[in-house]
Amino acid sequence: MGHLDHATFGWLTPVLSYAMACIGAALGLRCTVRALGTSGRSRRNWLITAASAIGTGIWTMHFVAMLGFGVTGTEIRYHVPLTFLSLLVAMAVVGAGIFAVGYGRDRRGALALGGLTTGLGVASMHYLGMAALRLHGDVRYDPLLVGLSVVIAVVAATAALWAGLNIKSPLAVAVASLVMGGAVTSMHYTGMLAVSVRVTPSDAALSGAATMQFIFPLAVGLGSYLFLTSAFVALSPTRGEREASVSAQRPVDGVAS
């Protein structure tokens, strides 16, 4: 059995992956709050932004954590199409859950459906990302720990969507995002504890892209997207601010000529 190291760079990758999860969660929750305060095309656009933020944050968290993953006796590469597919699945399935909450009339039913869908999307992204691994050996999983990781993903997603429906203040959203980031990161490392690798020593070249050639630049790019989108959302006026601005611009009775 190959020895697995989940933190080859020490605490750097776990801390950075947690930060990415929190940023994606905070941005997604803020966009969901904005969406619920609007209607029509504006609601749809905010929900799309929320889905892309949460999906991107989860994906970036996973692969930043994977930068610190190593197996004794074999190098690791990644199958590029499967890696991109895991990102698309994360956005699409998380988007389905977000839209279920954003347009659902029955809040409880929408929350249950959205939490289940989003949680399964998180888990699907994780295990698709793991399927993209290329190494000299066989990867095996502990079914009980896999099941536990899926349960954590669903609970975390449901809690996050509940927060989006019920928590409005920026401070409360920040606290909720820290909790969701911790839950999503816990799901990742629980899933990684389920992994064991039987190494088959070989001098044959592995197919796929090396971590620093592919995963690192992509993670940096998506992380930059999260930061830029966060700045846009922070600077974008809320519904209350827009209404206050319009009210302030109206002429006062008896003053206008």
Side-chain angles (χ1 to χ4, degrees), residues 59 63 78-87 128 132 214-215 218:
W59 188 96
F63 281 100
Y78 290 88
H79 186 265
V80 175
L82 266 181
T83 303
F84 276 117
L85 179 61
S86 69
L87 174 60
L128 269 175
F214 172 58
I215 299 299
L218 190 56

Side-chain angles (χ1 to χ4, degrees), residues 159-251:
L161 293 177
W162 178 90
L165 287 171
N166 296 282
I167 295 177
K168 306 301 179 185
S169 73
L171 178 60
V173 168
V175 173
S177 68
L178 293 176
V179 174
M180 183 185 176
V184 171
T185 306
S186 297
M187 177 268 161
H188 170 83
Y189 284 105
T190 300
M192 294 308 295
L193 286 176
V195 176
S196 62
V197 178
R198 184 180 297 277
V199 174
T200 305
S202 173
D203 294 327
L206 289 167
S207 62
T211 304
M212 290 300 175
Q213 294 175 337
F214 172 58
I215 299 299
F216 180 73
L218 190 56
V220 169
L222 292 175
S224 300
Y225 163 77
L226 286 176
F227 280 109
L228 292 174
T229 308
S230 298
F232 167 77
V233 172
L235 296 173
S236 177
T238 64
R239 181 181 180 181
E241 291 170 342
R242 289 195 302 269
E243 290 176 350
S245 177
V246 171
S247 178
Q249 293 174 9
R250 291 174 181 168

Side-chain angles (χ1 to χ4, degrees), residues 135-177:
L135 47 77
H136 293 302
D138 298 320
V139 179
R140 300 180 181 182
Y141 295 91
D142 181 330
L144 290 178
L145 286 175
V146 169
L148 178 59
S149 70
V150 174
V151 170
I152 292 173
V154 172
V155 171
T158 304
L161 293 177
W162 178 90
L165 287 171
N166 296 282
I167 295 177
K168 306 301 179 185
S169 73
L171 178 60
V173 168
V175 173
S177 68

Side-chain angles (χ1 to χ4, degrees), residues 97-124:
I98 292 290
F99 270 78
V101 169
Y103 287 102
R105 295 183 178 180
D106 177 9
R107 282 290 180 91
R108 289 185 178 181
L111 180 61
L113 176 61
L116 177 62
T117 304
T118 304
L120 292 178
V122 173
S124 298

Side-chain angles (χ1 to χ4, degrees), residues 3 10 18 22 30 38 44 52 67 90 122 151 178 201 228 246 248 254:
H3 172 70
Y18 173 66
C22 290
R30 287 302 296 161
T38 61
R44 181 202 65 191
S52 67
L67 290 174
V122 173
V151 170
L178 293 176
L228 292 174
V246 171

